[in-house]
Amino acid sequence: MGAVIDVRRGADRYPGGEPDAGITTRHAFSFGPHYDPDNLRLGPLTACNEEHLAPGAGFAEHRHSDTELLTWVVSGELRHRDAEGRSTVVRPGDLQHLGAGSGVHHVERNDGAEPLVFLQFWLAARTPALTPRYTLVRSLARPYEVPEAGAVLRLARPVPGATLPLPAGPYGYVHVVRGEAELAGGERLAAGDAVRVRAGADVRGTVLRSRTACEVLLLALADPFA
């Protein structure tokens, strides 16, 4: 793959989940039965799943290992429980970070009365830890570093007409959570769309301009094989 900046539309994500159980998922990368050898990962980022959970729906206890999971609630409230006995509620504006270490079991549910929408990024650990770790940042206000995966997550809420530089990389992932934006050159982005910076693309002078008030997540990603 050459050095490129490309746009991926939210509507083109792979469908998944269990609709009959109140779970609808949209996968940005190859996941489960949706295999695309050209869309396996972006640096250490191996998944970006958009989850829609009806009230009372949720993921039963399941296991992760050697993965750093970042969860961002778009609307509603996420109830999280893990095998260490923690039980937390994650709300819009909060960042949840679960470092799976050598293995952790957890449960994710919508125990509220309103529909829940959240994004979850899976990052392959560069330096796997043995002990699972859990962090909940209330009202994320500064860049959040994930050194285990060589990643930094930044939240931006630009006013209309403001510009944001793309992550310098060597890889970068930009997700429009709310609002509308456009790349230099005029390519428009809506909520759910993403921009990928791949293979060390030169992003100098390339910006994202907000067309409306926006909420944007920007991930700067190291080369996992360097």
Side-chain angles (χ1 to χ4, degrees):
M1 297 262 184
V4 298
I5 300 170
D6 67 297
V7 172
R8 301 296 179 105
R9 303 296 178 183
D12 295 333
R13 290 171 170 240
Y14 310 117
E18 299 179 64
D20 291 343
I23 301 172
T24 302
T25 305
R26 304 290 292 185
H27 301 288
F29 295 87
S30 287
F31 202 99
H34 301 288
Y35 177 72
D36 180 351
D38 294 325
N39 191 28
L40 297 178
R41 64 191 299 161
L42 181 71
L45 181 63
T46 60
C48 175
N49 301 333
E50 182 181 282
E51 307 286 0
H52 295 250
L53 273 60
F59 296 99
E61 184 173 296
H62 56 283
R63 184 178 185 273
H64 294 276
S65 63
D66 297 332
T67 304
E68 305 296 317
L69 294 94
L70 300 177
T71 302
W72 183 261
V73 173
V74 178
S75 60
E77 295 184 347
L78 170 65
R79 169 68 68 177
H80 179 270
R81 301 181 181 89
D82 63 32
E84 302 298 315
R86 285 181 287 257
S87 178
T88 57
V89 175
V90 189
R91 302 180 176 89
D94 299 341
L95 176 67
Q96 176 181 269
H97 175 198
L98 178 63
S102 59
V104 65
H105 291 80
H106 73 153
V107 176
E108 298 158 302
R109 292 192 55 80
N110 179 7
D111 287 341
E114 302 297 327
L116 165 65
V117 180
F118 67 92
L119 293 168
Q120 191 167 86
F121 301 96
W122 295 16
L123 299 159
R126 301 175 77 188
T127 53
L130 294 177
T131 304
R133 304 165 320 283
Y134 183 84
T135 304
L136 180 59
V137 180
R138 296 292 189 191
S139 300
L140 183 67
R142 63 185 63 184
Y144 185 83
E145 297 186 10
V146 188
E148 298 84 0
V152 179
L153 176 69
R154 186 162 65 93
L155 166 67
R157 293 190 174 112
V159 298
T163 59
L164 298 170
L166 298 186
Y171 297 91
Y173 192 85
V174 179
H175 187 98
V176 179
V177 180
R178 310 175 201 278
E180 298 179 2
E182 64 183 15
L183 285 172
E187 187 162 11
R188 295 189 179 185
L189 301 159
D193 292 344
V195 179
R196 301 184 186 187
V197 178
R198 189 171 59 224
D202 186 353
V203 298
R204 289 174 295 180
T206 304
V207 297
L208 188 74
R209 184 184 306 276
S210 58
R211 294 176 54 83
T212 67
C214 289
E215 181 173 282
V216 183
L217 295 174
L218 304 100
L219 263 173
L221 303 162
D223 186 342
F225 306 110

